[in-house]
Amino acid sequence: MALQKLTPQEQTDALAKPELKGWSLVEGREAIKRTLTFKDFNEAFGFMTRVALHADKHDHHPEWFNVYNRVEITLATHDVQGLSVRDITLATFINQIYDK
Ligand code: HBI
């Protein structure tokens, strides 16, 4: 079964779930975003390292920006030019380690 693009309803339903707390749709793009803040750069980069290793293992990579203790993350699936279940799964993982 090929990777499917999420419908608008599926996007809305996914974002309403508690496991996706803090995530929202990007204006004008089929993507989701969340901004995370940490105690300092060391904590932020340690988080990014954990996410990076997980992303590479699952072959699904974030688009992100980091300055000091702030990490801005955007998730989308290039292969479907939109959102897929992979983005929901990665966002859930990110929340699990951030919201600990
Ligand atoms: N990461 N976010 C994201 N979206 C993709 O479509 C994607 C990826 N990482 C690797 C990947 N696709 C590969 O499967 C193909 O591009 C080769």
Side-chain angles (χ1 to χ4, degrees):
M1 173 81 159
L3 192 57
Q4 299 290 310
K5 184 174 178 173
L6 294 185
T7 65
Q9 187 60 56
E10 288 168 329
Q11 295 171 24
T12 306
D13 294 348
L15 287 169
K17 291 185 176 145
E19 54 265 35
L20 250 54
K21 180 189 75 169
W23 289 87
S24 59
L25 279 175
V26 173
E27 289 298 309
R29 181 185 172 193
E30 285 197 43
I32 55 174
K33 64 182 165 79
R34 186 176 185 185
T35 296
L36 309 174
T37 52
F38 298 84
K39 181 166 64 74
D40 53 25
F41 175 75
N42 184 288
E43 292 287 315
F45 201 80
F47 164 85
M48 290 179 78
T49 302
R50 284 191 66 188
V51 171
L53 295 178
H54 177 93
D56 215 36
K57 178 177 172 186
H58 295 270
D59 198 29
H60 197 69
H61 304 82
E63 300 165 26
W64 46 12
F65 171 82
N66 160 247
V67 57
Y68 184 55
N69 69 328
R70 194 171 87 245
V71 181
E72 297 174 2
I73 308 175
T74 300
L75 303 178
T77 301
H78 319 140
D79 293 350
V80 300
Q81 286 96 36
L83 284 166
S84 73
V85 64
R86 292 182 184 172
D87 301 305
I88 306 306
T89 302
L90 182 51
T92 303
F93 171 79
I94 287 168
N95 278 12
Q96 282 167 350
I97 60 174
Y98 178 70
D99 295 323
K100 248 202 172 89

